[in-house]
Structures are given as C-alpha cells and as structure tokens.
Amino acid sequence: MDTVQNSEASTALGSDFAAIFVSLELSRSTWLVTSTSPGSGGKMSKHSVKGGDMAALLERFTQLQSRTKARTGVEYPVITIQEAGLDGFWIHRALQANAIESHVVDPASVAVSRRSRRAKTDKLDGEALVRTLLAYKRGEPRVCAMVKVPEPEQEDRRRICRERKVLIAERIKHVNRIKGLLFAQGISDYRPVRSDRRQRLEALATGDGRPLPPHVKMQIGRELDRLELLLDQIVVVERERDALLFMQENSDTAKPASIQMLLHLRGLGTEFVAILWGEGLFRHFDNRRQVAAYAGLAPSPWQSGTIDRDQGVSKAGNARLRTTMIQLAWLWVRHQPCSALTIWFKARVESNNGRMKKSTIVALARKLLVALWKYVTAGVVIEGASMKTA
C-alpha cells in the first residue's frame, strides 16, 4: 500500500505540472528553499541562502532550472510560495519583477497535524508549503487562502491612519503618566493637553498646600516636552490624511465619488472614512460574505452530528477594520436613529429584554459594513440613513 501511495505521489509531483515548485521559509538570518521538480521522483531538495540575499535566491532558481533541464531536456518555470509575515511583500514583488510566478499564503489557512505534540521544523514546514502549492495549482478547493497582495501605493496609503493610531496611544500614555504623578501630590484637575499647560504647571500646589516638589516638576516638564512633540506630529499626520483624501478627489484611480459618498453620511468623520477606505473598501469583493470575512466579522459555526452551535465571529481578518466597524456601529445607533439598521438593533435588544447588547452590536457592525460596501460600489442607499447638511 505504501509503495502504491509513493508511486502516485511521484507521478503527481513529477509529471502533472510542467514547473518547478519552490517554498520559501523566511527568517532574518537564513532563507530555506525547498523544491521539487519534474523528473526528481517526488523527492524534495533543500538549500539555504542568506536572509535578504535576493541575488543568491535567484541564482538558486537558475541552478534548479539547469539541473532539471539536464535531467529532462526541458526548461521549466519556477513557481514559489511563501507565508505572509514580517517580510511583507517586497520578496513577492521582486520575484514577480524577475518573471517568477509567486504566491503569498495565509499561514493560518495551511492544514497541520492536530496532535498535541506535533513535530515542527523549518524543513517540515517547507515540505508542507510545497504540498500546499501543488494542491492549490491542481485546483483543489479550500486547500489554503492565498493573500491578495495590494499595490505599493495602496499599501503605503494605510501608513497615515496606522501612524496616527500609534501616536494617539503614545499621547494617552504620557497624559496618564502626568496625571498619575500629580494625583500622588493631591492634584486631580490638571489637563496636560490644554494650551496653557505650562502656565498652570507653575501655579500648581500640592493637596496639603506646599509648592510642587522641584524634581516632580522637572519630570513633568520633560513629559510635557515629549507630549508636545506628539501633539505636533498628530497635527502633521492629520493634515497628510486630509490632503490624501483631497488628492483622491482629483484622481481617476482612487474612486473619489466613493470617498465623497462616505463623507456625506451623518456619523462618519474624516478618520473613519480614511480607515474604511484604506483598510478595506478600496478592495474588490465578489459578495457580502467576502466583505464580512475580510473584517473577521463572519460567523464561525460548530456543527457535528446533533451538535450545532455558533462560536461567534471568526476574528480572522483585518483587526483594524473590525475594531473601527464596531466603534462606528455604536456611533451609527446614536447619529442615525431613523435608519433601518438602528431600528433592527433596538428591536433585537428589546426582544432580549435589554441583554446581549455587545453581541448584537457586532452583528450590526457586520450589517453596516456590508451596507456601506453596497453603497459605495453599487450606489444602494442605506434605508433611512440621513446625510449631513451642507
């Protein structure tokens, strides 16, 4: 039985596809190249190159093609696969620039052994990726999920909103640090983000009537220096964000009408629109299920025999878009009270006697994302939604 299986595997690896299949296991120091080629009898070869050395990687591909040609008399193309990770997409783009077919796979979608102590090494992972690539090229359904690599310009546009989020988090840390230092001295009414923060610091006194200790005041002064730098950077980033949206209004490739349609809806500000467009709505989706799955808002059923239950949303998607949609869902209920989505939400919560608000708002976020996608792509007006006044 084993001999028959190995023979079938050799046939599938060696003759079904006229190509050399290569997987790349990437790390900072080394890249492990695992390959199988026609005429190799289904065997996989492994070779390491220095991490980041694209010239050495291309030279390895040339060697594989030369050896395969010497063995079979035919020059075969190279098809590669790699996991999406820390290296981003520059390797994928470099391979495509050298006329090499490249695929980037979601590592969570690759099937692995469910044993509690399964063996895991780079060699085993490389072989598994090669087998996954073969199955994918054979057309097997749901064998893995390939990543749709964005264009460099689309990827770069995300930087602004993501940088602003990091700066806001750092601002919160410095503000809380200053408030904590002052609260220990009996002061609780100081606001570090106000424009008169320096003047008010000089006039502060402790809760027992003493002047603010000098070392505490100097530490707070240095915290204010860092806070003011962050405030200036946030202003610069927000200006770049607004300028980018305005520039897209005059661009033929950025779908400016869609951005303007989002900005006209009550409850959607510039930051929400920038995140919605930059993180998700600029992509092409075939149906509403793909939209919900991309944001990780698709349901995860668990069904086996008589067991049938819902595990909640999958969370296997764009976390930034998912978080933004849940925040927007709460704002939608507040600013769009007459919309059909808000009426559905309130009726659902009322039917549960006011319980399960959190799970229902997640369902509303999924419905709202699909409705916004239909609105910007097909012009389907959200029922009952109100627009901003001019």
Side-chain angles (χ1 to χ4, degrees):
M1 185 65 176
D2 291 342
T3 305
V4 174
Q5 289 179 346
N6 291 336
S7 176
E8 292 177 353
S10 301
T11 302
L13 290 173
S15 61
D16 282 1
F17 301 103
I20 301 172
F21 295 90
V22 178
S23 70
L24 304 177
E25 276 293 313
L26 308 174
S27 67
R28 291 182 182 272
S29 57
T30 58
W31 292 350
L32 179 62
V33 181
T34 305
S35 63
T36 183
S37 55
S40 64
K43 296 181 179 179
M44 297 189 187
S45 64
K46 301 173 182 63
H47 183 82
S48 296
V49 299
K50 183 180 179 181
D53 193 348
M54 181 57 65
L57 181 63
L58 296 176
E59 178 63 24
R60 177 59 183 171
F61 292 165
T62 303
Q63 294 175 2
L64 289 173
Q65 289 177 314
S66 300
R67 293 176 184 175
T68 305
K69 184 176 182 180
R71 187 167 54 242
T72 63
V74 180
E75 184 173 351
Y76 291 97
V78 175
I79 303 177
T80 67
I81 185 173
Q82 60 177 297
E83 294 180 344
L86 185 63
D87 292 275
F89 303 118
W90 75 270
I91 301 174
H92 167 78
R93 295 186 179 113
L95 292 175
Q96 286 190 329
N98 286 274
I100 296 175
E101 182 180 345
S102 175
H103 299 276
V104 182
V105 65
D106 178 8
S109 68
V110 179
V112 297
S113 172
R114 294 187 296 175
R115 295 181 183 273
S116 59
R117 290 188 178 181
R118 67 180 181 90
K120 183 187 183 305
T121 64
D122 286 343
K123 293 182 179 181
L124 294 177
D125 290 346
E127 294 176 357
L129 281 180
V130 171
R131 290 192 294 269
T132 300
L133 179 59
L134 285 164
Y136 175 78
K137 296 299 291 184
R138 279 195 300 267
E140 294 186 14
R142 297 189 179 185
V143 66
C144 64
M146 292 297 182
V147 177
K148 185 178 180 181
V149 179
E151 296 296 328
E153 295 78 11
Q154 295 173 344
E155 187 178 13
D156 187 59
R157 282 200 296 265
R158 302 175 179 175
R159 294 294 104 206
I160 295 180
C161 292
R162 295 182 180 184
E163 181 185 2
R164 182 182 181 275
K165 185 176 181 180
V166 173
L167 293 175
I168 293 295
E170 293 182 9
R171 185 190 68 181
I172 293 173
K173 289 181 180 179
H174 288 295
V175 169
N176 290 343
R177 179 59 177 163
I178 293 172
K179 288 184 176 181
L181 291 171
L182 292 176
F183 192 81
Q185 302 295 327
I187 303 170
S188 59
D189 59 346
Y190 183 74
R191 299 293 180 268
V193 295
R194 288 179 50 170
S195 59
D196 60 344
R197 62 184 76 88
R198 297 282 183 176
Q199 294 80 1
R200 296 192 69 244
L201 179 63
E202 297 296 331
L204 290 178
T206 62
D208 54 351
R210 295 178 294 106
L212 200 63
H215 292 294
V216 173
K217 182 183 290 186
M218 288 187 291
Q219 182 179 1
I220 293 176
R222 289 187 287 269
E223 289 284 346
L224 288 177
D225 292 339
R226 293 190 284 270
L227 177 61
E228 289 170 349
L229 175 61
L230 283 172
L231 294 175
D232 293 339
Q233 291 180 345
I234 290 173
V235 171
V236 172
V237 169
E238 289 177 345
R239 288 175 181 171
E240 291 180 0
R241 176 202 62 194
D242 297 341
L244 180 62
L245 291 179
F246 178 77
M247 179 186 67
Q248 288 182 341
E249 293 177 11
N250 302 315
S251 173
D252 295 333
T253 60
K255 297 185 179 179
S258 302
I259 298 175
Q260 288 301 307
M261 291 168 67
L262 292 173
L263 288 172
H264 290 161
L265 283 172
R266 184 182 299 276
L268 270 70
T270 307
E271 182 65 16
F272 276 114
V273 171
I275 295 176
L276 285 174
W277 185 258
E279 295 291 347
L281 293 183
F282 76 94
R283 290 176 172 268
H284 171 75
F285 299 101
D286 293 329
N287 51 59
R288 60 185 179 85
R289 293 183 180 85
Q290 291 184 3
V291 178
Y294 178 77
L297 293 172
S300 301
W302 179 274
Q303 185 176 3
S304 178
T306 58
I307 302 175
D308 188 1
R309 60 186 178 88
D310 192 355
Q311 303 178 99
V313 296
S314 64
K315 295 186 179 181
N318 191 313
R320 297 177 182 86
L321 181 59
R322 180 170 62 254
T323 302
T324 300
M325 285 309 307
I326 293 175
Q327 294 173 351
L328 182 58
W330 288 112
L331 293 174
W332 187 268
V333 173
R334 179 190 303 175
H335 296 287
Q336 299 280 1
C338 299
S339 69
L341 292 175
T342 302
I343 295 173
W344 172 87
F345 171 77
K346 292 181 178 179
R348 189 69 175 267
V349 172
E350 185 178 354
S351 65
N352 291 322
N353 298 322
R355 296 178 291 108
M356 300 178 64
K357 268 191 176 183
K358 291 184 178 180
S359 58
T360 308
I361 203 68
V362 174
L364 176 62
R366 179 172 61 249
K367 288 178 174 289
L368 179 57
L369 179 59
V370 173
L372 291 174
W373 169 69
K374 291 180 179 179
Y375 176 59
V376 299
T377 55
V380 179
V381 180
I382 303 176
E383 183 179 355
S386 58
M387 301 295 177
K388 297 177 183 176
T389 57

